[in-house]
Amino acid sequence: MTTPLNERRVANAIRVLAMDAVQQANSGHPGAPMGMADIADVVWREFLSHNPSNPQWANRDRFVLSNGHGSMLHYALLHLTGYDLSIEDIKQFRQLHSRTPGHPEYGYAPGIETTTGPLGQGIANAVGFALAEKTLAAQFNKEDIQVVDHFTYCFLGDGCLMEGISHEVCSLAGTLQLGKLIAYYDDNGISIDGEVEGWFSDDTEQRFKAYGWQVLRVDGHDADAIRKATVEAKSETAKPTLIICKTVIGLGSPNKQGKEDCHGAPLGNDEIALTREALGWTEEAFVIPEDVYGAWDAKAKGVEAESAWNDVFAQYQAKYPTEAKELLRRISGVLPVDFAEKAAQFIADTNAKAETIATRKASQNTLQAFGPLLSELLGGSADLAGSNLTLWKGAEGVQDNPAGNYVHYGVREFGMTAIANGVALHGGFIPYVATFLMFMEYARNAVRMSALMKQRVIHVYTHDSIGLGEDGPTHQPIEQIASLRGTPNLHTWRPADTVETAVAWLSALQYKDGPTALILSRQNLPFQTRDQAQIDDIVKGGYVLAKEKGELKAIIIATGSEIDLAMQAHAELEGVRVVSMPCAELFMQQDATYREAVLPSNIRARVAVEAAHVDYWWKFVGLDGKVIGMTTYGESAPAKDLFNHFGITKQAVVDAVNSLS
């Protein structure tokens, strides 16, 4: 039986804060927070284990608002339960530099676990959180002491379920039996365009049962029903749970509840007055009575929960000191103290071997060397492990062993990448995921989100150019590298051989403020000879690979497979240097003195060569330089024939240099 509105005083605090903040901003979505307030009341006050005084407590439950347009629900919850988010912050909703932006943004306010703007990615991140929790627990928990033991709660709406990514990730969540994932579906039947039944008639219950989820149905305004369903969800350890909550969007608004009018627009002052009357709420805007604050306050309960866990962890440290030290290191995100030294030795050994192999194989060799040193690696590929070469001898699938370190994601590029974002956000892991570079397009928005949130996710992309050959233009990337290079916070590496590949991996692992894309070849690439100073300069993103003979007259800039063409041309030319530019973003971060030493500004005769779209390179060669690359899509043919057909050859480089100098 639905509780009468006037008995929901505690939950109504969410409703009034949401409608007041949206009204003051004259922008936002009041409907979802008002409709989901009763669900949030039960989950946050009775079930969520968290500590507002320490939002980063390692064993806290994770909460994700996947329908992020309802952000005022999340902000209200953080404010009411005692996080460092004041009523003044609430008043600044959607304003410049506020801690309460239009959608939840990771890093802006304490307690925001992930950025949930694009619909569907929040539930994907939640799957990542649950995967990380299950794997970390399997790796560290003991029969007598469990130090990793928390749930992931996710709110989501119709839009999240309509997005295709929800199919990818929820299917995998069921397969992996992520029993500590509990999702609450705000089944209000309304989206921006109106009643969804005209364009969303799925049988959601049967859909999720087919995935292997437990599915429960409740009245989303019946606290007892929500409570009972949540208890049942927590008791089911082998299946994730979807609780379908039938709700009324904008509940409390006499004239707009249940309608699209309150989905993405302020209610208006007159309607807010009527809503206050309907809710029996007499306080002015942004005023919450002390007894309501008292009912919400979770600080004491949070301190108690964390203190109890600290006692358990102290026992764990005493009995399992090695594991405790390793867990703390991994949660902190710090690499092992001797890793850099051992990695440097591997790079030196790689240089000594001087192998001519594909950079995808060089990447696998690097994983084979680094993997045993880094228990935090959690790899995966979108059904292409044998082509991406992401498996190494110590890799073990989590589907076979929950304590493993590798995920077979299946053909789910977008879902895989968004899940990896959740894994990184959870902590304790450095995820790497892989597919063909062309299919980065499926994952593009999740790559953007890892960059936006500055998460250490390593994106491995093989089959990097027309050099993959016979699969043809559908598989041959052209514009993708430029797209990645144009992404803020993302380091894009296209290494030329084994040594540059190893350095790229080391750089990616050490880069804590954003993701890295490793662009790797299918075909074998010749080893390039370097001295130690050149090896040391690789990490700077660009360096002089081959010095000029005599006076410097021209510069060839290249990456990846085209370094070999540049070096062949260099052998025939006088006064020309070759600059390898495996990571242009890092090169541009070097000081002006170093950049000038590599690319002297007075040398205007410059040629860039890369088997990808030409437009990116004009900023390095200038409008009076030349770029050899692609301006069309590819063709289906052997790689050698394709490079000749598209004019990406040694002779083309020689001719371009001669035409400028």
Side-chain angles (χ1 to χ4, degrees):
M1 189 68 167
T2 302
T3 307
L5 281 174
N6 58 13
E7 294 181 11
R8 294 201 192 97
R9 195 153 176 259
V10 174
N12 285 344
I14 295 172
R15 295 185 170 96
V16 295
L17 283 177
M19 67 183 185
D20 288 345
V22 170
Q23 186 64 37
Q24 179 152 305
N26 196 29
S27 173
H29 300 74
M34 296 174 73
M36 296 193 78
D38 299 308
I39 307 167
D41 174 30
V42 173
V43 173
W44 273 68
R45 291 204 303 125
E46 300 183 37
F47 291 97
L48 192 72
S49 180
H50 63 122
N51 184 4
S53 301
N54 181 15
Q56 295 304 310
W57 169 37
N59 200 48
R60 68 192 181 278
D61 288 339
R62 269 56 170 188
F63 174 79
V64 177
L65 183 71
S66 188
N67 44 344
H69 54 271
S71 58
M72 264 310 305
L73 172 65
H74 206 165
Y75 300 144
L77 288 166
L78 294 172
H79 170 69
L80 291 167
T81 55
Y83 284 79
D84 180 21
L85 196 70
S86 70
I87 198 68
E88 293 303 316
D89 290 320
I90 300 294
K91 291 179 180 179
Q92 290 299 306
F93 178 57
R94 288 188 166 227
Q95 304 310 298
L96 181 64
H97 301 315
S98 78
R99 304 172 78 197
T100 51
H103 290 76
E105 299 285 353
Y106 178 76
Y108 281 61
I112 300 295
E113 300 283 5
T114 182
T115 296
T116 53
L119 291 176
Q121 288 197 60
I123 181 61
N125 295 161
V127 172
F129 284 130
L131 171 63
E133 190 277 340
K134 182 175 182 178
T135 307
L136 201 66
Q139 291 177 354
F140 285 97
N141 285 350
K142 306 296 182 181
E143 287 189 10
D144 57 333
I145 305 178
Q146 297 190 352
V147 290
V148 180
D149 183 16
H150 51 267
F151 285 81
T152 299
Y153 296 93
C154 180
F155 288 4
L156 69 160
D158 294 308
C160 298
L161 294 180
M162 282 188 264
E163 291 286 359
I165 190 174
S166 69
H167 165 76
E168 296 183 30
V169 302
C170 294
S171 167
L172 186 61
T175 299
L176 295 180
Q177 298 184 330
L178 301 181
K180 288 188 175 179
L181 172 61
I182 303 174
Y184 298 79
Y185 166 33
D186 180 27
D187 183 15
N188 61 40
I190 297 293
S191 67
I192 292 174
D193 282 352
E195 297 180 6
V196 302
E197 61 184 11
W199 49 87
F200 184 52
S201 58
D202 299 17
D203 188 332
T204 299
E205 179 176 354
Q206 291 303 315
R207 170 186 167 187
F208 274 78
K209 284 182 177 178
Y211 292 152
W213 288 53
Q214 172 179 236
V215 181
L216 307 172
R217 283 185 176 273
V218 300
D219 176 344
H221 304 300
D222 185 334
D224 288 337
I226 298 164
R227 185 178 300 110
K228 180 181 178 182
T230 303
V231 170
E232 189 173 348
K234 293 188 70 172
S235 67
E236 172 55 75
T237 58
K239 296 179 179 181
T241 297
L242 178 71
I243 302 176
I244 300 175
C245 304
K246 192 62 182 175
T247 63
V248 177
I249 191 171
L251 185 70
S253 170
N255 299 303
K256 296 188 177 183
Q257 67 177 23
K259 302 176 182 177
E260 65 269 22
D261 296 22
C262 65
H263 180 281
L267 298 182
N269 289 324
D270 291 344
E271 186 66 16
I272 286 176
L274 292 173
T275 303
R276 273 184 152 74
E277 182 179 350
L279 296 176
W281 194 271
T282 58
E283 284 74 19
E284 297 179 358
F286 300 106
V287 174
I288 304 296
E290 288 303 316
D291 63 328
V292 175
Y293 271 128
W296 275 107
D297 191 349
K299 294 193 292 293
K301 186 178 178 181
V303 169
E304 181 181 350
E306 182 174 357
S307 178
W309 180 82
N310 287 339
D311 291 342
V312 173
F313 191 74
Q315 297 173 31
Y316 186 84
Q317 283 180 303
K319 193 169 184 179
Y320 306 105
T322 301
E323 290 91 336
K325 183 178 180 181
E326 179 71 353
L327 178 57
L328 289 174
R329 179 191 69 77
R330 284 175 52 173
I331 290 172
S332 72
V334 175
L335 299 175
V337 291
D338 59 350
F339 175 70
E341 180 182 350
K342 291 180 178 178
Q345 184 59 55
F346 171 74
I347 292 168
D349 293 344
T350 299
N351 187 57
K353 288 181 180 178
E355 291 181 294
T356 291
I357 57 177
T359 51
R360 62 172 175 160
K361 179 59 179 175
S363 171
Q364 186 181 48
N365 291 346
T366 304
L367 274 170
Q368 188 59 56
F370 290 176
L373 307 176
L374 299 171
S375 65
E376 56 263 56
L377 283 180
L378 185 62
S381 176
D383 201 47
L384 291 169
S387 295
N388 299 146
L389 301 185
T390 46
L391 283 169
W392 52 284
K393 291 179 182 178
E396 186 174 9
V398 298
Q399 77 280 2
D400 299 318
N401 177 10
N405 57 6
Y406 195 87
V407 183
H408 291 275
Y409 282 101
V411 187
R412 299 180 176 96
E413 295 89 355
F414 191 6
M416 169 185 72
T417 308
I419 288 172
N421 291 343
V423 169
L425 287 159
H426 178 279
F429 293 99
I430 300 175
Y432 66 90
V433 291
T435 185
F436 290 170
L437 176 57
M438 184 64 247
F439 302 129
M440 177 278 294
E441 292 291 353
Y442 283 141
R444 182 71 185 88
N445 201 269
V447 176
R448 182 178 188 269
M449 296 306 290
S450 64
L452 182 67
M453 293 187 284
K454 300 181 179 180
Q455 291 303 297
R456 181 165 46 178
V457 179
I458 301 174
H459 305 281
V460 179
Y461 297 128
T462 68
H463 297 61
D464 68 337
S465 72
I466 59 171
L468 67 87
E470 293 85 347
D471 276 339
T474 61
H475 283 54
Q476 293 165 7
I478 303 298
E479 70 275 28
Q480 286 65 41
I481 301 177
S483 174
L484 290 167
R485 288 183 178 135
T487 303
N489 305 323
L490 174 68
H491 289 174
T492 301
W493 283 83
R494 188 172 184 244
D497 65 359
T498 56
V499 174
E500 286 192 0
T501 302
V503 173
W505 261 106
L506 176 58
S507 174
L509 290 163
Q510 292 178 328
Y511 180 39
K512 297 180 66 174
D513 295 322
T516 299
L518 303 179
I519 314 298
L520 307 171
S521 73
R522 176 197 184 194
Q523 71 273 33
N524 291 343
L525 303 185
F527 175 81
Q528 302 298 331
T529 301
R530 303 172 184 81
D531 60 28
Q532 188 58 50
Q534 289 173 305
I535 293 174
D536 293 342
D537 282 344
I538 294 173
V539 75
K540 297 176 182 177
Y543 64 102
V544 178
L545 177 62
K547 296 180 181 179
E548 58 275 12
K549 305 165 193 171
E551 180 185 355
L552 178 60
K553 298 178 181 177
I555 300 171
I556 303 171
I557 307 170
T559 75
S561 53
E562 287 66 69
I563 282 290
D564 183 48
L565 299 180
M567 293 298 287
Q568 291 179 41
H570 176 267
E572 296 186 12
L573 296 165
E574 298 289 330
V576 176
R577 72 169 49 167
V578 174
V579 170
S580 178
M581 189 80 75
C583 184
E585 298 87 4
L586 279 171
F587 178 74
M588 293 306 296
Q589 291 174 18
Q590 305 307 310
D591 60 46
T593 301
Y594 179 79
R595 297 199 310 270
E596 178 67 18
V598 175
L599 296 175
S601 55
N602 64 314
I603 304 301
R604 305 293 296 173
R606 299 183 182 186
V607 175
V609 53
E610 185 176 61
H613 202 284
V614 300
D615 278 2
Y616 179 80
W617 291 104
W618 293 112
K619 70 178 182 180
F620 287 106
V621 303
L623 295 179
D624 48 354
K626 290 194 173 181
V627 182
I628 297 169
M630 298 293 295
T631 57
T632 67
Y633 293 113
E635 295 286 348
S636 180
K640 183 178 179 180
D641 294 343
L642 290 170
F643 278 95
N644 287 331
H645 173 73
F646 289 107
I648 305 174
T649 64
K650 180 258 299 185
Q651 191 58 49
V653 178
V654 170
D655 292 346
V657 171
N658 286 334
S659 72
L660 296 173
S661 58

